[in-house]
Amino acid sequence: MAQTARRPDHRYGTRPTMKDVAARAGVGLKTVSRVVNGEPGVTPDTERRVQEAIEALGFRRNDSARVLRKGRTASIGLVLEDLADPFYGPLSRAVEEVARAHGALLINGSSAEDPDREQELALALCARRVDGLIVIPAGTDHRYLEPEIRAGVATVFVDRPAGRIDADVVLSDSFGGARAGVAHLIAHGHRRIGFIGDQPRIHTAVERLRGYRAAMEDAGLAVDDSWVSLGSTEPERVRGAVAAMLAGPEPVTALFAGNNRVTVTVVRELAGRPHPVALVGFDDIELADLLGITVIAQDAAALGRTAAERLFRRLDGADDAPARVVLETTLIPRGSGEIAPPSS
């Protein structure tokens, strides 16, 4: 006959307290507090009994209550655009490393590029008393954070600037990077260059398009409207843009991809075509070195680290004017951006 598993003698969601430890060890509450916090004044035998009770009960010190009494929660929030995007992995890890060095816990979440969700998530983190926020904005109006900032929540924006408020921001040089990437294609003989970017409401997409146009203007090259496509990074949309630009009697001979997700789809689309098309992508992608993809690389870890260091500088009392920090990008030639245009 099968035996029924014994029900645990606790309820989920209820944690043992110092009172429970004191009762099991047969000591006073103050004695438990001294042992838990490593304070003197407890005999070895009593400390042993308290430690045995702690182990038996699975007691853990309530650090949240302890730090709240000091006016800080020792936690910061990170609002990302998309947790699944490989670009945000090293950025998030760098923020976490800085937070850990300052004895703080990182709590992060994804806005899924939805301004309403970004606001909901940011305010939920504030309601949980985080000391500071690092935000990769999805929206263009961040006045909803003004009361939180006035209440002492340090806030730094990264990758894109805040909308309608003054705040610290750490950016990559999207304009300069795109300009350099398109200039690289021009230097290899291309005159008809297509640009496929992200949504036109996104700051980085606009800046990279501006860099593309600047490079073309620098070279005295006119831009045909059919060579520019902004919109969703969904593969179907990107594939359609590639097909349109490569069709007709005078197709583009090179493409500039505005971010990593666009680049991946473009690489897949070009792989099935009989004639090579030059490509430079903004953002490095996995296996780009093996595939020979020329890219404009951002240092995502440096973005996260710089933003986090600025945040903790604010938490340590810095009250200078909000700063705009712009990090350089790097052109990495690997072959796809060095393909010459077909001879006429």
Side-chain angles (χ1 to χ4, degrees):
M1 181 176 175
Q3 289 185 335
T4 303
R6 182 177 177 271
R7 289 179 62 88
D9 57 1
H10 66 275
R11 290 183 294 115
Y12 293 112
T14 60
R15 298 175 181 271
T17 66
M18 283 202 290
K19 286 184 179 179
D20 298 323
V21 174
R24 186 179 184 98
V27 299
L29 188 60
K30 181 59 178 176
T31 300
V32 175
S33 177
R34 284 175 176 157
V35 172
V36 167
N37 293 298
E39 297 173 359
V42 182
T43 66
D45 181 64
T46 300
E47 182 177 358
R48 177 185 55 75
R49 295 197 338 260
V50 171
Q51 292 290 3
E52 287 175 352
I54 287 172
E55 184 175 346
L57 293 171
F59 170 80
R60 295 291 181 271
R61 183 175 64 182
N62 186 347
D63 282 342
S64 295
R66 186 169 59 95
V67 295
L68 277 170
R69 286 194 294 271
K70 297 180 179 180
R72 293 269 287 270
T73 62
S75 62
I76 63 170
L78 172 60
V79 180
L80 297 166
E81 183 257 323
D82 183 358
L83 287 169
D85 189 328
F87 173 75
Y88 295 117
L91 187 154
S92 176
R93 186 165 57 249
V95 171
E96 186 172 22
E97 287 171 357
V98 174
R100 184 178 180 185
H102 285 81
L105 177 70
L106 176 67
I107 308 168
N108 61 30
S110 171
S111 69
E113 202 62 77
D114 181 343
D116 291 335
R117 185 166 170 177
E118 172 213 299
Q119 179 173 338
E120 178 184 355
L121 178 57
L123 292 179
L125 289 167
C126 290
R128 283 158 178 76
R129 301 285 301 275
V130 294
D131 298 319
L133 283 175
I134 295 176
V135 181
I136 297 170
T140 56
D141 187 347
H142 294 92
R143 289 176 296 176
Y144 71 86
L145 281 173
E146 286 180 333
E148 309 300 332
I149 294 171
R150 284 196 300 269
V153 179
T155 305
V156 176
F157 290 79
V158 65
D159 192 45
R160 308 164 188 173
R164 307 186 72 176
I165 65 171
D166 290 327
D168 289 314
V169 60
V170 181
L171 308 169
S172 290
D173 186 4
S174 286
F175 169 77
R179 190 177 193 175
V182 175
H184 185 74
L185 291 167
I186 294 169
H188 282 81
H190 296 277
R191 299 296 177 264
R192 299 192 303 275
I193 302 171
F195 177 94
I196 304 177
D198 208 334
Q199 305 274 9
R201 63 180 173 80
I202 296 174
H203 170 81
T204 49
V206 172
E207 285 297 287
R208 292 167 196 175
L209 176 58
R210 195 167 69 87
Y212 160 83
R213 291 190 181 279
M216 296 292 277
E217 183 178 348
D218 291 343
L221 300 174
V223 175
D224 191 288
D225 288 345
S226 65
W227 299 350
V228 175
S229 177
L230 296 179
S232 163
T233 58
E234 289 298 317
E236 184 177 358
R237 200 282 300 184
V238 176
R239 285 196 298 266
V242 172
M245 291 182 191
L246 296 180
E250 289 194 325
V252 299
T253 61
L255 291 168
F256 186 87
N259 67 24
N260 56 354
R261 285 168 289 188
V262 172
T263 301
V264 168
T265 301
V266 171
V267 169
R268 286 176 173 155
E269 182 67 15
L270 295 182
R273 292 183 173 266
H275 303 295
V277 177
L279 169 66
V280 174
F282 203 108
D283 292 335
D284 211 352
I285 60 173
E286 190 174 4
L287 301 182
D289 54 339
L290 297 178
L291 296 172
I293 309 301
T294 297
V295 299
I296 301 296
Q298 305 183 73
D299 191 338
L303 281 170
R305 183 169 54 254
T306 304
E309 287 171 349
R310 180 153 289 274
L311 183 77
F312 281 99
R313 182 173 171 273
R314 291 293 183 197
L315 289 172
D316 289 339
D319 61 356
D320 50 310
R324 182 185 182 96
V325 180
V326 181
L327 305 184
E328 292 184 358
T329 57
T330 304
L331 171 66
I332 306 177
R334 294 188 177 121
S336 71
E338 295 70 57
I339 298 171
S343 56
S344 54

